[in-house]
Amino acid sequence: MTTRDWHALGHDEVSAHHAVDTGTGLSDEEAAARLMVHGPNRPKSQPPRRAWRRLLDQLTQPLVAVLIVAGIVTALLGEWVDTGVILGVVVINAIVGFIQEGRAESALAALARAISTEATVLRSGRTRRIDAEHLVPGDIVHLAAGDKVPADLRLTHGRELRTAEAALTGESLPVDKHPATLDVDTPLADRRNMAYAGTHVVAGHGRGVVVATGDATETGRIAGLIAAAPELETPLTRKMAAFSRQLLVAILVLAALTFAVGVGRGQSAFDMFMAAVALAVGAIPEGLPAALTITLAIGVGRMARRRAIIRRLPAVEALGSTTVICSDKTGTLTENDMTVREIWAGNAHYTVGAGEHGAIELAGQPATVGWALKEVLVAGVLCNDAAVHREEGRWRIAGDPTEGALLIAARKGKLDEATLRDLFPRLDELPFDAARQSMATLHDAGGERNIVYLKGAVERILPTCADMLDTHGRRWPLDAESVEERAGAMAADGLRVLALARKAHDGDSLATDDIATGLTFVGLVGMIDPPRPRAIAAVKACHAAGIRVKMITGDHGHTALAIARQLGICGDTCRVLTGRQLAMLDAAALRIAAGEVDVFARVEPEQKLRLVGALQASGEVVAMTGDGVNDAPALKQADIGIAMGVVGTEVAKEAADMVLTDDNFATIEAAVEEGRGIYDNLVKFITWTLPTNFGEGLVILAAVLLGIALPITPLQILWINMTTAVLLGLPLAFEPREAGIMRRPPRPPATPVLDGALIFRIVLVGNLMLAGAFGLFELAVHQGRDLAEARTIAVNVFVMIELMYLFNCRSLTQPVWRLGWLSNPWVWAGAASMLALQLAFTYLPIFQQLFGTAAIGANDWLQIVLCSLAAMAVVGLEKYLRRR
């Protein structure tokens, strides 16, 4: 037994352990001394990273390092304008990342706010209200309906005490509490003699001993789990980091090779050093980091329009890589709204439609509210303390969700609770009792005798009944076997089943003995927190896209399994694993179970973490959805954490990478689709830009090997790389999603950014650029043209081939005409702007002076255009052959 096992000790043992008299509480002096030892009742916040450290982290990312290298190179060349431009891009990248990711650690501060409250405490024999931060272990705390539980309490007394623990355990219904001792291995969600910090009291009152405060509470432990969860890289950042490292190594090797070959051939070391610098400048894709950030930022805007708010830029792409979605049940896949779905009355089985306008039906047809059905609905209204009102076009429940569901079912049967309560005023009641598992109310029936209505557990109500109502409301012999059979069938479907009964009664008061025998069984009501309608379609779409959906919930196993089957997460043969079973599995067994099982119930926060970790260890890219405090650690651990924006706790939102503004699981499927489209556009940009860098490097290397003048200078290379990246490359970020994007399986996590086919295409286009630029350069030199003219021709060859190749890259597999020539107008705008800029580059004196260019003739332009069209045709042919 550990110090967390307070539920397994009698409350007298707990009081003795904490040296407190439950009749008088701690003295003020003792409480002050304990406060010095245990500290304030709030989670300790981890010191946030200093601003300079967060900024430095942005500057040390591999892609940004590539830009910094480019800036240093241009500075060494004395080209301060270009240095300023490149370093400006570095600063913009750093600021964007700083703003987007700087708030990640604020989850702990939100957690502190979540349990900040006041408490009613007994000290020195007097009851008083104090700031909950001043509570210490051993304090005696009083709880009443409406209170937020201020610390972890071992209950010593409770009367009709019920708490809402969905945010902590995932339990969708309020939990009945009692002070009785429990088994030591009782799961967290079933510890009925404990009240946990941050949960809410919805009914009754009670008293308990504080057994944990601050970080020692269950909520505080979750703060520790959040802090301990590593900040994981997304698939994109992992792949781009590896790609950048490989690129840097290749650039350095080629630059060193260029220098060594040139010097070995007898050329001057200075000239060869400048050639090596030119090669490095050409090979570094200066526009790639900026394009990456801007493309992701554009994706953020697209997702926001589809009700998904991104908190970290790389999360946009991570969605497109997702192979498994682990979802909480309550409030995520379901409505978080208890709803009556079945009624059994007068030996007839009625179904109740979901939603506000759902109808009561019998055998698929609208049902007549006959005597038996009416009596069930009336019993549900009168034996009820809840209220329902309209707010913002929806029914809002004040009180217990189960009782609210009964009121809404009555409204669907055209019965109004206000009218019924006026017709049958309440005279007395026996509130819900955990031991009795029922509630009873006494009403004035307007005749010689009053009437009692009861609702509660079938196994407690049925033995007290002597007869039952038939379809016409007449009493007939009780068929207990049929009742139990129907109740069992409802429970097997995941419904929470309530029995309703009535009894005529003499007198205006009600005692427990009055409901012990002689009742008339009225009927059964089955209710459930129903699946979101759009979630069913979303799960189906995820499966079609090769993404597995797993339910991880703190709710009961049979409920979770029934909802999972309704959603299509699994079929009739699927099984559920409980938290208790998971606790018995070692790491290897857990990895197998995590892969094979799709429904996990009664799961505790650290077990959610273990499940996410087990899936990641198997190579899965995991998205985790949730809304409660109990979901926050797993949200942070997952490759992408997705929080619910409406009902989600602040803790969950702050730990997540993405927040859904409509709390709809279906929005995740839309976000996955966006993520895949964004990743496609990133790959298109990389496939488009790298041939230029490769071709420029080849041109420089060829010139060195042949011992001739460089066809393009370092400054001209920078012009090509920076202008084309902005005007030609960025329009690819606006490319619409291609058809069938959600009918293909997820990319395997180990797949590199560029596959063999795309690498071949990059090499192919790079060589086409080498052939065109070097060939026309040499032709111009052979014709006796000025070196500036020859270099101007070579630069324009690079730009024009890039422009034509841009249309090839709008789809990596399909011909451009299948996409629609005007489906992305930004491509045409970019191409027109680039042509205008190249004319200025070629003919304006200021550009000629700055970049060493010269005017060229119409025949030169014809040769340049023919080269670019030929390159476009070759790539089109290569795509055609691959499709075959």
Side-chain angles (χ1 to χ4, degrees):
M1 185 178 297
T2 70
T3 54
R4 287 184 57 209
D5 297 328
W6 301 110
H7 59 281
L9 298 176
H11 54 78
D12 290 338
E13 294 177 90
V14 175
S15 301
H17 178 90
H18 288 92
V20 61
D21 183 339
T22 57
T24 60
L26 298 174
S27 66
D28 291 333
E29 295 77 11
E30 178 63 20
R34 295 188 184 190
L35 186 62
M36 293 294 292
V37 174
H38 296 282
N41 177 33
R42 63 171 182 264
K44 293 185 179 68
S45 298
Q46 296 292 326
R49 287 185 301 165
R50 294 181 182 273
W52 67 266
R53 179 66 191 181
R54 285 164 44 204
L55 187 60
L56 182 62
D57 288 344
Q58 302 300 322
L59 297 175
T60 54
Q61 295 177 13
L63 287 178
V64 178
V66 172
L67 275 181
I68 293 173
V69 169
I72 293 172
V73 169
T74 53
L76 292 173
L77 291 172
E79 304 296 340
W80 303 112
V81 173
D82 300 284
T83 300
V85 170
I86 295 173
L87 294 182
V89 173
V90 170
V91 171
I92 292 171
N93 271 293
I95 290 174
V96 170
F98 184 84
I99 293 172
Q100 288 286 339
E101 301 178 14
R103 298 186 301 142
E105 302 306 319
S106 58
L108 295 173
L111 192 59
R113 292 194 299 271
I115 68 167
S116 178
T117 186
E118 286 192 333
T120 303
V121 64
L122 178 67
R123 283 186 180 170
S124 299
R126 292 189 302 114
T127 301
R128 67 188 79 170
R129 295 281 288 177
I130 66 171
D131 189 327
E133 286 194 5
H134 298 153
L135 287 177
V136 296
D139 263 327
I140 306 299
V141 172
H142 291 263
L143 299 174
D147 286 349
K148 181 188 284 187
V149 179
D152 285 2
L153 309 178
R154 171 61 169 89
L155 297 174
T156 62
H157 171 78
R159 179 171 175 77
E160 322 296 344
L161 183 64
R162 308 176 79 192
T163 62
E165 298 182 345
L168 179 65
T169 66
E171 172 63 67
S172 55
L173 294 171
V175 178
D176 300 316
K177 295 294 183 178
H178 59 74
T181 305
L182 299 172
D183 291 338
V184 69
D185 59 350
T186 303
L188 178 71
D190 294 328
R191 295 175 188 172
R192 303 302 177 92
N193 59 8
M194 298 289 296
Y196 292 109
T199 62
H200 289 81
V201 179
V202 297
H205 56 84
R207 185 171 65 246
V209 180
V210 174
V211 294
T213 60
D215 287 337
T217 64
E218 291 297 327
T219 309
R221 286 192 322 102
I222 291 175
L225 294 174
I226 296 174
E231 292 284 357
L232 294 181
E233 293 180 308
T234 67
L236 178 68
T237 55
R238 286 193 293 266
K239 291 174 183 177
M240 293 309 295
F243 174 73
S244 299
R245 288 191 296 269
Q246 294 164 1
L247 184 62
L248 282 172
V249 170
I251 289 170
L252 292 175
V253 169
L254 280 175
L257 181 63
T258 300
F259 180 81
V261 169
V263 171
R265 292 173 59 90
Q267 300 185 54
S268 76
F270 177 79
D271 289 343
M272 289 305 95
F273 175 75
M274 294 308 297
V277 167
L279 187 146
V281 170
I284 292 174
E286 290 89 352
L288 180 57
L292 175 66
T293 300
I294 293 169
T295 302
L296 292 177
I298 291 169
V300 168
R302 286 181 174 178
M303 288 188 175
R305 290 190 290 273
R306 300 185 79 167
R307 301 186 179 276
I309 304 300
I310 299 296
R311 296 185 64 247
R312 294 179 61 243
L313 280 181
V316 178
E317 180 275 334
L319 273 170
S321 307
T322 299
T323 59
V324 176
I325 298 176
C326 296
S327 178
D328 184 37
K329 178 184 71 69
T330 306
T332 306
L333 291 166
T334 65
E335 298 279 7
N336 197 20
D337 181 16
M338 290 299 293
T339 304
V340 173
R341 299 306 303 270
E342 296 183 20
I343 298 173
W344 192 70
N347 207 28
H349 179 223
Y350 300 88
T351 58
V352 183
E356 296 188 15
H357 305 293
I360 301 176
E361 297 182 345
L362 178 64
Q365 299 297 321
T368 301
V369 182
W371 282 104
L373 177 57
K374 182 178 180 180
E375 202 53 23
V376 168
L377 298 176
V378 169
V381 168
L382 296 180
C383 189
N384 196 314
D385 290 326
V388 175
H389 63 280
R390 298 289 292 184
E391 182 179 308
E392 298 178 354
R394 295 186 62 188
W395 282 328
R396 302 291 182 184
I397 296 170
D400 186 285
T402 299
E403 294 191 327
L406 293 171
L407 296 182
I408 293 174
R411 290 198 177 194
K412 292 177 180 178
K414 311 302 182 186
L415 299 180
D416 178 68
E417 67 269 14
T419 303
L420 287 173
R421 287 168 176 172
D422 287 342
L423 289 174
F424 301 96
R426 185 181 296 187
L427 302 175
D428 198 6
E429 66 178 287
L430 293 175
F432 184 88
D433 179 81
R436 200 174 58 241
Q437 293 188 27
S438 67
M439 173 184 177
T441 55
L442 175 64
H443 300 267
D444 183 349
E448 295 182 0
R449 307 186 73 186
N450 296 321
I451 189 167
V452 178
Y453 284 108
L454 287 88
K455 73 172 187 292
V458 178
E459 62 271 20
R460 295 304 180 94
I461 298 290
L462 198 58
T464 66
C465 295
D467 50 32
M468 63 191 297
L469 295 183
D470 68 6
T471 306
H472 303 289
R474 296 181 299 231
R475 293 162 64 183
W476 64 321
L478 178 68
D479 185 355
E481 185 176 341
S482 294
V483 174
E484 290 171 345
E485 182 180 345
R486 174 50 57 184
M490 287 183 175
D493 289 335
L495 300 178
R496 185 190 183 199
V497 184
L498 289 179
L500 298 128
R502 74 178 191 187
K503 180 183 181 180
H505 181 68
D506 296 316
D508 296 335
S509 61
L510 192 61
T512 303
D513 290 343
D514 296 328
I515 59 171
T517 58
L519 277 74
T520 298
F521 179 80
V522 172
L524 300 171
V525 172
M527 59 185 68
I528 198 168
D529 179 13
R532 292 177 179 270
R534 287 181 60 195
I536 299 173
V539 169
K540 184 177 181 180
C542 287
H543 286 167
I547 301 169
R548 294 185 64 185
V549 179
K550 295 179 182 290
M551 179 189 293
I552 304 177
T553 179
D555 213 340
H556 292 281
H558 65 274
T559 304
L561 198 57
I563 291 292
R565 286 170 176 163
Q566 292 179 43
L567 286 163
I569 290 176
C570 59
D572 293 336
T573 60
C574 74
R575 61 193 180 102
V576 60
L577 276 182
T578 65
R580 185 174 294 183
Q581 292 169 319
L582 288 174
M584 300 171 64
L585 300 179
D586 60 20
L590 182 65
R591 285 179 62 177
I592 295 172
E596 294 179 349
V597 179
D598 290 330
V599 184
F600 301 90
R602 301 313 259 178
V603 176
E604 298 188 12
E606 55 265 70
Q607 291 174 331
K608 291 187 178 186
L609 268 178
R610 286 188 69 207
L611 281 169
V612 171
L615 288 166
Q616 290 172 328
S618 298
E620 305 286 359
V621 177
V622 182
M624 172 73 190
T625 76
D627 59 358
V629 174
N630 61 322
D631 297 320
L635 289 176
K636 190 175 180 185
Q637 169 73 29
D639 293 279
I640 175 164
I642 306 168
M644 303 297 110
V646 178
V647 301
T649 61
E650 285 301 311
V651 181
K653 294 176 192 175
E654 294 294 342
D657 302 293
M658 184 174 85
V659 179
L660 305 184
T661 61
D662 60 356
D663 285 12
N664 200 322
F665 184 86
T667 302
I668 300 170
E669 183 260 333
V672 168
E673 184 179 24
E674 280 298 346
R676 289 187 173 190
I678 291 162
Y679 185 85
D680 279 358
N681 290 347
L682 286 173
V683 174
K684 290 172 185 177
F685 177 87
I686 294 170
T687 306
W688 169 82
T689 194
L690 287 187
T692 301
N693 303 110
F694 182 61
E696 289 165 345
L698 288 178
V699 165
I700 300 298
L701 190 58
V704 170
L705 292 175
L706 295 175
I708 63 174
L710 297 181
I712 46 179
T713 67
L715 197 57
Q716 291 170 345
I717 289 172
L718 280 172
W719 167 266
I720 296 170
N721 291 354
M722 299 303 290
T723 57
T724 58
V726 174
L727 295 178
L728 298 182
L730 284 184
L732 288 173
F734 297 93
E735 195 64 35
R737 297 180 304 277
E738 294 187 40
I741 198 170
M742 287 298 285
R743 291 195 297 272
R744 67 191 191 201
R747 297 183 309 279
T751 301
V753 176
L754 300 174
D755 60 20
L758 294 182
I759 291 174
F760 174 82
R761 187 174 301 166
I762 289 169
V763 173
L764 172 64
V765 176
N767 278 283
L768 291 173
M769 288 180 171
L770 167 66
F774 197 84
L776 291 185
F777 172 82
E778 279 295 290
L779 178 62
V781 171
H782 183 72
Q783 292 173 346
R785 308 278 290 275
D786 183 74
L787 185 61
E789 290 182 62
R791 284 175 170 166
T792 303
I793 292 171
V795 170
N796 280 298
V797 169
F798 271 103
V799 172
M800 289 302 296
I801 290 179
E802 278 195 272
L803 192 152
M804 294 301 180
Y805 180 51
L806 175 66
F807 290 93
N808 290 120
C809 288
R810 289 189 59 203
S811 173
L812 298 178
T813 57
Q814 300 299 319
V816 65
W817 55 82
R818 287 190 183 174
L819 304 177
W821 287 102
L822 301 178
S823 59
N824 185 0
W826 291 101
V827 169
W828 291 100
S833 300
M834 192 68 238
L835 286 174
L837 207 55
Q838 279 306 112
L839 291 174
F841 173 85
T842 303
Y843 294 107
L844 290 184
I846 187 172
F847 284 94
Q848 290 176 345
Q849 183 176 0
L850 184 61
F851 291 99
T853 60
I856 57 176
N859 188 58
D860 299 320
W861 282 111
L862 178 61
Q863 292 173 338
I864 291 168
V865 170
L866 288 175
C867 276
S868 61
L869 289 174
M872 184 181 185
V874 170
V875 175
L877 177 62
E878 185 259 347
K879 285 203 290 186
Y880 170 75
L881 294 174
R882 287 194 182 276
R883 285 197 305 275
R884 293 187 62 190

